[in-house]
Amino acid sequence: MLKFLGTRAITSGISLVGLILLVFFLSRLTGDPTGLYLPLDASEESRNQFREIHGLNDPLLIQFFNYLGDLIRLDFGDSIRRSEPAIDVVLRGFGWTLQLAAVTMSLVVFFAIIVGSLAAFHVGGVFDRIATFFSLIGASAPDFWVAIVAIVIFSVNLGWFPTSGTGTVWHWVLPVSVLFIRPFGLILQIVRGSMITALSSAYVKTARAKGIKNRPIIFVHALRNALLPVITVIGDQAAALLNGAVVVETIFGFPGVGKLMIDSILQRDFTVVLAAIMVTATAIFIMNILIDIFYSILDPRIRY
C-alpha cells in the first residue's frame, strides 16, 4: 500500500506541475492587470511600481520559476485584488464548495442506492420504468438550463426560495437541487445495472431458497458486491462537483471556489487562480486515494 501511495503521489505531483505550467501561461494571456487596478491617468512610474510589487516586470519564464520556488516554501503569493495571502482567500471559498459538494453527494448516494436497488428488484415493473425514465432525463439535463428554469419557477414566479446567498437553509435548496439531478441520474443507473446482475447471482438465489427476506437480500447480500462499480462513478461525480460547480455557483451567487475562480480570471488575479487550481487538484487527488482504499476494504481480493 505504501508503495502504491508513493507512486500515486509522484504521478499526481508531476501532473500538478504540468497543470500549473499550463494555467500560469494561459492566465498571462489575459493581459496586464495594471489597467484594472490603477486609474486610467496613472503615471508610468506608478504602473512600474505596481508591476514591480507583483513581480510582473520579470520575463515570463523567470516569473514561473520564481512562483515554483515560492510554492516549495508553501508561499502561494498575495491576491492582487484583496492584498491578502491567496491561499487564505481560496480556502474560504473552498470551504463553501466542500460543504455544497458534501451535502449534495450525501443526498445523491443515499437516494440513488435506495431507488436504484428497488428498481433492480422490481425490474421491468412500473417503479423501475418511472425511475429509469426520470434518471435518464436527469443525467442528460445541463446544469445551467436546470438552474435558470429553477430560478424562474421557484424564485421569480412562486417566490419560495432566494436566488443567491447562503444566509439560511432556504438559500441552499436550489443550488443543491440543481447539482443533485445529474449525478443522481447517472449513479442510479449504475446501481440498477449492478444490482440486476447481483440479484441474479447464485448466492442470492441460495439466500432466497433459505427463506431470507427481501430487505436483507437487497441491502446486505447483493448491495455489497454491487457497490464496486458504483464507487468509481461516485468518485468521478464527487470530483466533478468539486471541480465543476463553477456554473451553479456563478448563477446562484454562491461564494465557493468555482465562483472565486471565475471572478479572479475576470479580475486577472493570477495568484488566486493558481492557488484555487492547486487546492482543488490536491483535494481530488486525496479523494481518489480514499476511494482506492475503500475498494480494498469492500473487496479483500484487491491489493495494492
Side-chain angles (χ1 to χ4, degrees), residues 138-176:
S140 56
D143 288 344
F144 73 90
W145 182 81
V146 176
I148 293 171
V149 171
I151 288 175
V152 171
I153 294 176
F154 297 105
S155 296
V156 177
N157 291 337
L158 298 176
W160 288 356
F161 306 111
T163 56
S164 63
T166 56
T168 68
V169 67
W170 305 114
H171 290 87
W172 291 67
V173 173
L174 289 184
V176 169

Side-chain angles (χ1 to χ4, degrees), residues 30-42 46-47 50-51 54 56 78-83 260 262-273:
T30 58
D32 187 351
T34 309
L36 288 177
Y37 294 97
L38 295 181
L40 292 175
D41 58 351
S46 299
R47 293 175 186 275
F50 178 88
R51 295 191 191 100
H54 298 286
L56 300 173
D78 291 337
S79 164
I80 297 176
R81 178 176 175 76
R82 297 170 178 82
S83 299
L260 177 66
I262 294 294
D263 292 343
S264 299
I265 290 170
L266 295 175
Q267 294 159 358
R268 297 173 192 167
D269 199 346
F270 305 136
T271 51
V272 172
V273 174

